Amino acid sequence: PERDGGRAEVPEARGQAARLTGFLRRLCLRGQAVAVNGIPHRRFYLRWPKRWEYACGLTHADGERARRVIDFGGGATLPAYYLAARGAEVMVLDIDADLVERSRRAAARFGWPLQASTLDLTSAELPAGTEADLVTSFCVIEHMSHAAHRAALRRLAAALVPGGRMALSFEYGEDAPGEGALRDAAAVAELVEHLGLRWRGGAGFEDDGQRFA
């Protein structure tokens, strides 16, 4: 979704996926661990559902042109590292202290403009004056209650500058795991309305019927 922004053509995510993969491999060759699903490890590749989740999210939200990014729940993950390596000021918020510390060490090692904090947005406000062009959160909200993720996402949406974007992925469907998974298209639409955002291009959410374990 986009806050107060105009229509935008969305290019294919293939190029973004290739750039993410190349960056991941360079990190691996330098011995840098990257977390997937909360597990940090040296990785030479990502399984394709995760790779395309990241690539489509960044493509749809014009991630590479963002200069101020807040990543919610993505401590030590590839998108946060990638955007920081491109020069974006990235704030990673994750309640996992180990992943936050790993993020800080990686930023110091590579000189990235990345900060990381265990600030819990389900119960605390962002620091005064915090603004972002882009908010990212990849498969995080299903791990918390609906009330908790609504509170956190509302604070993040309020931090977006005019034209700012939110790239949000989540477990979806009647059988999706996680207390906070969104079960149907109506639940997705209701969340976006709650956040005060609108869909980029106005197309809204469509369930294409595909499911991936």
Side-chain angles (χ1 to χ4, degrees):
E2 179 179 45
R3 184 180 186 185
D4 298 330
R7 294 179 62 86
E9 295 297 322
V10 179
E12 293 295 328
R14 189 178 304 277
Q16 182 71 78
R19 290 189 292 277
L20 285 169
T21 298
F23 177 68
L24 177 70
R25 290 177 176 174
R26 291 191 294 275
L27 290 181
C28 181
L29 292 173
R30 299 189 67 177
Q32 179 63 47
V34 171
V36 174
N37 298 329
I39 302 173
H41 199 276
R42 286 180 60 188
R43 304 172 189 276
F44 200 67
Y45 70 96
L46 294 179
R47 297 175 69 179
W48 74 264
K50 182 60 67 175
R51 183 172 71 247
W52 283 95
E53 177 187 344
Y54 290 160
C56 289
L58 294 182
T59 297
H60 282 62
D62 292 341
E64 292 196 4
R65 69 179 177 89
R67 302 270 47 94
R68 292 168 296 175
V69 179
I70 303 173
D71 184 281
F72 178 59
T77 57
L78 185 63
Y81 284 175
Y82 176 79
L83 294 174
R86 293 182 59 84
E89 297 179 2
V90 177
M91 177 189 295
V92 173
L93 302 176
D94 197 309
I95 61 172
D96 188 313
D98 176 64
L99 296 180
V100 164
E101 181 57 30
R102 286 174 178 272
S103 299
R104 291 171 176 166
R105 290 202 303 265
R109 177 186 180 189
F110 295 108
W112 296 334
L114 181 151
Q115 300 179 6
S117 170
T118 55
L119 179 71
D120 185 354
L121 285 187
T122 65
S123 58
E125 300 289 341
L126 285 162
T130 301
E131 293 184 334
D133 312 304
L134 174 66
V135 168
T136 57
S137 184
F138 293 105
C139 274
V140 173
I141 66 171
E142 60 267 20
H143 300 292
M144 57 187 71
S145 70
H146 285 270
H149 76 229
R150 284 165 64 96
L153 292 176
R154 182 70 184 185
R155 293 179 170 113
L156 291 163
L160 288 172
V161 300
R165 291 91 59 204
M166 179 181 289
L168 176 67
S169 66
F170 43 82
E171 297 286 356
Y172 174 81
E174 292 182 1
D175 300 321
E179 177 185 2
L182 301 183
R183 303 298 174 188
D184 53 37
V188 180
E190 193 279 332
L191 177 61
V192 174
E193 182 178 1
H194 168 74
L195 299 181
L197 303 180
R198 65 179 182 181
W199 293 101
R200 298 202 73 197
F205 178 82
E206 291 185 25
D207 179 7
D208 63 7
Q210 298 187 65
R211 299 290 185 269
F212 305 100

